Amino acid sequence: MATAKYTKGKDGYYQAKVWDGTYTEAGVKHRVTLRTKKSSRALEEMVRELEEKVRNRDVLKESKVSVQDYARTWLNIYKHDAELNTKAMYRHIIEVHMDILKAVPISALRKTDVLLCLNAASGKLRTQEQILLTLKQVVKAAVTDKHIAPGVYMEIFDGIRIKKQKNTDKRPLTPEEKAAVFSAEFTNMQKAFVYVIYGCGLRRGEALALERPDFDFEGKKLSINKALAFDKNTPYIKSTKSQNGIREVPIPSSVLPFLREYCNCLPQSRLFYTAGKNIMTKSSYVKLWAGIQQKMNSPDLTAHIFRHNYCTNLCYQIPTVSIKKIAELLGDHEKMVIEVYNHIILEKEDAEKAVELALSIRM
């Protein structure tokens, strides 16, 4: 015979304290007392029914704060120290793509609401990724702030996937683009920028922040210790993408003579700048890059393609250089380099030849 889960008290009642899905002002789970004189089984059924209501959020204390309003608060508090560009991305998602949720209480958010947001951005895969990223962080914060019951996060987001977008930046330079690096009729500043990202694999912001003291032409080395970013059109200097970004890289002989001459003729310390200023604005960079694309006859060319080209060509030199060293030169993680290297291996793979060589009978 099964043992009863609850025992009858001296007052003749079976009793249990159960969480009702709400919280006290101190942030502690609020529990209610369920009582019955019938039996332990009857009390078990009462407990089960309340727990089911909690799971379905039927007993949650409704919050009048909308998803969009709460997301604004989340951005100001939880993302207070984020980079300006990151905050601008979140703000755009909240103000433009979460406007559809301005009348939906945060405590009542459902999977269908998330899907409505995503469907409204149909065909814009990167935007959909950013919407989902933002909503996931907002909901996690809402759970912490007691607007949403624990466990609801999985209920809302389980099964929601965004189709992976093919990244056109993840390719090396074409043979024609490589030839154009050294044959195109660039201005001196365009040429210096192209040579830096081609020969040293720098990120766009790292290259734009370069100054003459960063170059050691005698030692043929370049120090990367900062980056340039934009707040709309206004430039500002920030730290590198991560601690790994602070590094030294060799300057190849194919670009070193021009970069030395360019640095020696600079009217100021910074390599790339807007006329009349000592730093480059975003509008000036857009013009600089448009000119490079035109002179290389490659309208889809991005600065990141040069970085991927740098990584790809170094991967062809393994084992002369290790994966760890390539990651250090790029200021990135080994995982990224391994992905590029594995792709190269797959391209060169010849399973039939490998089996033949490995298993040939030798007399």
Side-chain angles (χ1 to χ4, degrees):
M1 184 175 177
T3 304
K5 185 172 182 179
Y6 301 101
T7 56
K8 186 186 292 186
K10 292 180 180 179
D11 59 357
Y13 282 90
Y14 294 91
Q15 181 174 303
K17 282 188 174 292
V18 186
W19 180 46
D20 66 359
T22 65
Y23 295 86
T24 67
E25 290 185 3
V28 179
K29 285 184 176 181
H30 182 267
R31 300 181 187 275
V32 294
T33 301
L34 301 181
R35 307 176 76 214
T36 180
K37 279 190 173 184
K38 292 182 180 179
S39 65
S40 173
R41 182 179 294 276
L43 181 57
E44 285 183 52
E45 183 62 22
M46 291 169 65
V47 171
R48 187 195 64 76
E49 286 179 3
L50 180 56
E51 289 176 341
E52 183 68 19
K53 285 182 178 181
V54 170
R55 277 193 294 273
N56 294 332
R57 293 189 280 176
D58 293 336
V59 294
L60 261 184
K61 188 178 181 181
E62 274 199 32
S63 171
K64 294 181 180 179
V65 179
S66 74
V67 176
Q68 189 180 45
D69 283 340
Y70 179 77
R72 289 174 180 140
T73 301
W74 164 83
L75 177 60
N76 291 333
I77 297 174
Y78 283 81
K79 293 298 177 181
H80 177 74
D81 294 326
E83 293 287 349
L84 289 177
N85 287 348
T86 302
K87 289 168 79 171
M89 181 275 288
Y90 284 129
R91 189 172 294 109
H92 175 75
I93 295 299
I94 292 167
E95 299 302 331
V96 177
H97 297 283
M98 288 173 62
D99 188 63
I100 197 171
L101 302 178
K102 64 184 178 184
V104 178
I106 186 67
S107 61
L109 184 68
R110 298 289 192 273
K111 180 179 287 188
T112 51
D113 299 314
V114 175
L115 292 173
L116 279 172
C117 270
L118 295 174
N119 292 343
S122 180
K124 302 175 181 177
L125 296 182
R126 180 57 183 156
T127 300
Q128 287 182 321
E129 288 177 353
Q130 292 173 340
I131 291 170
L132 189 58
L133 170 71
T134 305
L135 279 171
K136 282 184 173 181
Q137 293 186 66
V138 167
V139 170
K140 282 183 179 178
V143 171
T144 301
D145 290 342
K146 316 303 182 187
H147 289 287
I148 295 178
V152 171
Y153 178 89
M154 285 300 298
E155 174 189 313
I156 292 175
F157 296 108
D158 186 43
I160 296 181
R161 300 286 184 273
I162 303 297
K163 181 182 177 183
K164 289 291 183 182
Q165 184 176 16
K166 185 176 180 181
N167 193 336
T168 55
D169 280 355
K170 289 192 173 182
R171 68 166 178 87
L173 295 169
T174 65
E176 293 77 17
E177 289 166 344
K178 286 182 181 178
V181 167
F182 297 99
S183 64
E185 295 183 0
F186 296 125
T187 65
N188 283 342
M189 189 178 292
Q190 289 172 342
K191 190 172 185 178
F193 187 75
V194 168
Y195 276 20
V196 164
I197 59 177
Y198 173 80
C200 302
L202 272 61
R203 299 177 177 91
R204 181 190 76 173
E206 293 170 343
L208 291 174
L210 288 174
E211 298 177 276
R212 275 184 298 189
D214 297 325
F215 289 85
D216 174 9
F217 289 111
E218 295 304 315
K220 298 182 179 180
K221 290 186 181 298
L222 172 60
S223 296
I224 298 98
N225 49 52
K226 57 190 173 298
L228 184 138
F230 302 106
D231 179 11
K232 296 181 180 178
N233 190 47
T234 305
Y236 64 95
I237 298 297
K238 67 183 190 72
S239 58
T240 56
K241 188 174 182 180
S242 67
Q243 192 61 32
N244 292 344
I246 300 173
R247 63 199 188 277
E248 275 192 348
V249 298
I251 307 172
S253 57
S254 58
V255 302
L256 187 144
F258 174 80
L259 289 175
R260 177 194 281 128
E261 182 181 353
Y262 179 77
C263 285
N264 288 339
C265 295
L266 281 172
Q268 57 169 47
S269 179
R270 205 172 298 282
L271 271 71
F272 309 107
Y273 54 91
T274 297
K277 301 178 183 292
N278 65 352
I279 196 167
M280 180 164 281
T281 62
K282 185 173 184 178
S283 57
S284 292
Y285 172 74
V286 170
K287 291 176 184 176
L288 176 82
W289 189 254
I292 291 169
Q293 289 175 316
Q294 183 181 15
K295 291 174 181 178
M296 290 186 67
N297 193 28
S298 183
D300 297 325
L301 188 64
T302 67
H304 192 78
I305 287 173
F306 279 86
R307 182 171 165 79
H308 193 76
N309 182 77
Y310 181 84
C311 179
T312 300
N313 281 280
L314 284 178
C315 284
Y316 277 114
Q317 302 304 315
I318 296 172
T320 304
V321 62
S322 68
I323 288 175
K324 181 179 180 180
K325 188 61 180 178
I326 294 172
E328 289 176 4
L329 292 173
L330 286 159
D332 217 318
H333 298 286
E334 291 180 46
K335 180 183 176 183
M336 184 277 292
V337 179
I338 290 170
E339 288 174 358
V340 176
Y341 183 58
N342 283 346
H343 182 68
I344 291 171
I345 293 298
L346 289 172
E347 284 182 350
K348 298 168 67 176
E349 197 171 67
D350 186 341
E352 185 177 337
K353 182 178 179 181
V355 170
E356 188 66 33
L357 290 171
L359 302 178
S360 293
I361 298 175
R362 305 194 179 200
M363 303 300 292

